Amino acid sequence: MQPLSASAPGKIILFGEHAVVHGQPAIAVPLAAVQVTVCAEPAPPGTGTVIHAPDVDQTRFIKPGTGESADTPDPLYNALVYPVKLALSVCDQPVPDLALTVRSTIPIASGLGSGAALAAALIRATTAALDHPLDNDALNPLVYEVEKRHHGTPSGIDNTVIVYERPVFFVRGTPPEPFTITRPFSLVVGDTGHSSPTRLTVSDVRSLVDAEPDRVGALFEQIGALVHAARTAIESGTIETLGPLMNTNHALLQELTVSSGQLDRLCEAARRAGALGAKLSGGGRGGNMIALTQPDDIPAVAQALRAAGAVRVIHTTVG
Ligand code: PMV
């Protein structure tokens, strides 16, 4: 085989995280500014498959004849080995002598879809190396399988937006609806620097639903309604109206207990510096927040986020 590489982008949930696990819609867009790239090249005979992740100083081996481990809480097995094993099983081939090297600019466990992007890039690289490339419709359910290992009960939004690399209006269990972004808009993304496993926040929200089904169900309904309003605003190009919707979505996420002091401080700093609206994005309690910002205000908002403690600030245009 010739050496090859495959990649997948990060993602941003614009509206509807957490409620989407419980049947409400959500809107997400790919984030091409951060990527996972996997290079595949032949390895010496008898090596089996080697997965190097130099960014996290980890190497994992898949030896011929090793079966799939039962469901395991080992995050590195689930992130690095499991996607490759799934790829080998769809190719119906024995373990090849293959070296896979992973590079990622997506921060881990911070709401930007690192797990799904890593799985998508690993499966793309492995299947292409075995001359069995998959189209996105075949790839998407495999990445969802990996997401289940990470999250327990993922909605499927991360794998969908990352595999198809298109903005998506997503309802769990239904085919993704691509939609049109009539007028591009700018987001400033601020990283708290604290990783927070989505599995935990999703499970805490589930406990909240079990304890107070009526109150929490009503919060989900409110989030769903604002996701519909946001879709209308994005499709009609009335971007200004998205800002207040983001602020309301953040307040509802606070009520779901998935914000944090640092996320609240970053959102507040962005608003004070002129952002039209701001909210946490993804699983919450850490990770990233997003601020809808007019192009002229981007430097001030980025500066305010850094001053409020953001460890990394990215600017991206959606649409
Ligand atoms: O934290 P992330 O990037 O994995 O986003 C998760 C989004 C949730 O709605 C919290 C969970 C899900 O599966 O949809």
Side-chain angles (χ1 to χ4, degrees), residues 10 62 120 126 135 145 162 168 193 197 210 239 244 251 262 266:
I62 305 176
T126 307
D135 64 18
E145 280 306 307
I162 282 167
V168 64
D210 292 344
I239 297 307
Q262 178 65 342
L266 293 184

Side-chain angles (χ1 to χ4, degrees), residues 19-311:
V20 68
V21 176
H22 302 270
Q24 297 294 334
I27 294 174
V29 294
L31 178 63
V34 290
Q35 294 270 336
V36 174
T37 303
V38 175
C39 295
E41 55 197 343
T47 313
T49 297
V50 190
I51 311 158
H52 299 291
D55 301 340
V56 288
D57 199 18
Q58 293 288 333
T59 301
R60 289 288 192 275
F61 296 89
I62 305 176
K63 292 290 183 192
T66 52
E68 166 43 13
S69 290
D71 205 355
T72 158
D74 173 12
L76 271 167
Y77 178 90
N78 291 335
L80 295 174
V81 177
Y82 186 52
V84 177
K85 288 201 168 181
L86 279 180
L88 296 179
S89 71
V90 292
C91 295
D92 201 17
Q93 293 208 15
V95 176
D97 294 320
L98 185 66
L100 298 166
T101 304
V102 178
R103 297 266 175 200
S104 176
T105 55
I106 310 180
I108 295 168
S110 63
L112 297 183
S114 61
L118 177 56
L122 277 169
I123 296 171
R124 279 188 176 133
T126 307
T127 53
L130 295 175
D131 220 8
H132 192 296
L134 300 179
D135 64 18
N136 289 338
D137 291 342
L139 176 63
N140 195 31
L142 298 180
V143 180
Y144 183 64
E145 280 306 307
V146 180
E147 286 286 279
K148 283 202 235 168
R149 288 278 179 117
H150 290 307
H151 290 187
T153 53
S155 64
I157 190 168
D158 280 19
N159 48 286
T160 302
V161 67
I162 282 167
V163 165
Y164 292 98
E165 295 187 42
R166 284 198 309 241
V168 64
F169 178 89
F170 182 87
V171 179
R172 186 174 187 172
T174 67
E177 284 181 50
F179 69 100
T180 310
I181 296 176
T182 306
R183 226 177 90 207
F185 53 93
S186 295
L187 293 177
V188 181
V189 184
D191 190 344
T192 61
H194 303 296
S195 61
S196 166
T198 303
R199 179 186 277 274
L200 291 185
T201 52
V202 168
S203 137
D204 286 356
V205 171
R206 188 170 301 282
S207 304
L208 219 55
V209 178
D210 292 344
E212 300 174 83
D214 293 344
R215 185 180 76 83
V216 179
L219 296 175
F220 291 153
E221 299 273 334
Q222 289 177 61
I223 292 176
L226 71 81
V227 173
H228 282 287
R231 179 181 180 162
T232 305
I234 294 172
E235 287 184 323
S236 64
T238 48
I239 297 307
E240 305 67 30
T241 59
L242 289 179
L245 292 174
M246 279 182 159
N247 294 339
T248 307
N249 197 163
H250 185 76
L252 291 164
L253 288 163
Q254 285 174 320
E255 289 202 49
L256 291 177
T257 74
V258 295
S259 190
S260 68
Q262 178 65 342
L263 282 165
D264 293 347
R265 275 191 291 281
L266 293 184
C267 290
E268 201 38 56
R271 291 179 199 126
R272 272 202 309 271
L276 299 170
K279 64 180 278 293
L280 72 85
S281 180
R285 300 236 178 100
N288 282 268
M289 49 69 68
I290 55 175
L292 179 71
T293 308
Q294 299 284 18
D296 288 350
D297 295 326
I298 289 169
V301 170
Q303 171 55 28
L305 288 174
R306 283 195 202 92
V311 296

